[in-house]
Every structure is written in C-alpha cells, then in structure tokens.
Amino acid sequence: SGVNSFQCQYINALVRVGLGGTKSAIFNDVDIFGPGAEGGDSGSLIMNIKKGLVISLLFAGSDMNTIGCAWRNVKAIGGLD
C-alpha cells in the first residue's frame, strides 16, 4: 500500500488474531502499532526511519492496529544473526 507512518503502541505484547470465521491464534512477543496496514502488506518491514533500523515484520492489521513480529525474533528464527 506504499509507505505509511504509524506509532508503536506496545512491545512484547500478547495478542489474539482472527483467522476468519470463529478461528483465531494467539501470538506472543509481538509489537503493536497504530492503524495503517492494508491487505497485501504482510511481510513488509516496519522501520524506525529516524534511526534507519528495522524493528518489526508486519503480519496482521485492522482498522484499529497493525501487528508486527519483533525483528530480533525474525532474525533469530531465520538465522540472520
């Protein structure tokens, strides 16, 4: 959806994400940002532009929040350290 700007609201959060219908999943140690993500944005990098740092990998969003996997976890799981 292009470049968006939103504020980080929480880090290391526990969230329940709807998967459609009555299904949902619980995710731990995620970052929560204000709204701004749109369909197709999953996998986008969330950055601190002022510091030039990647901080999260976007994986869910709604009209209320954007949820990202903490970049430190993405790097560790992906062997990027």
Side-chain angles (χ1 to χ4, degrees):
S1 64
V3 176
N4 293 318
S5 176
F6 34 80
Q7 296 290 321
C8 184
Q9 298 173 339
Y10 302 98
I11 58 172
N12 304 323
L14 177 73
V15 297
R16 181 183 304 269
V17 175
L19 302 175
T22 60
K23 295 183 180 183
S24 64
I26 296 173
F27 295 88
N28 189 28
D29 196 18
V30 297
D31 301 327
I32 302 177
F33 302 87
E38 297 180 16
D41 285 348
S42 293
S44 298
L45 297 177
I46 299 174
M47 299 185 65
N48 179 325
I49 297 298
K50 291 181 182 178
K51 295 183 178 181
L53 299 173
V54 176
I55 56 173
S56 236
L57 185 69
L58 193 152
F59 80 92
S62 70
D63 59 348
M64 297 177 62
N65 295 305
T66 299
I67 311 296
C69 295
W71 187 244
R72 67 185 176 285
N73 296 332
V74 175
K75 287 187 346 182
I77 293 169
L80 303 173
D81 281 333

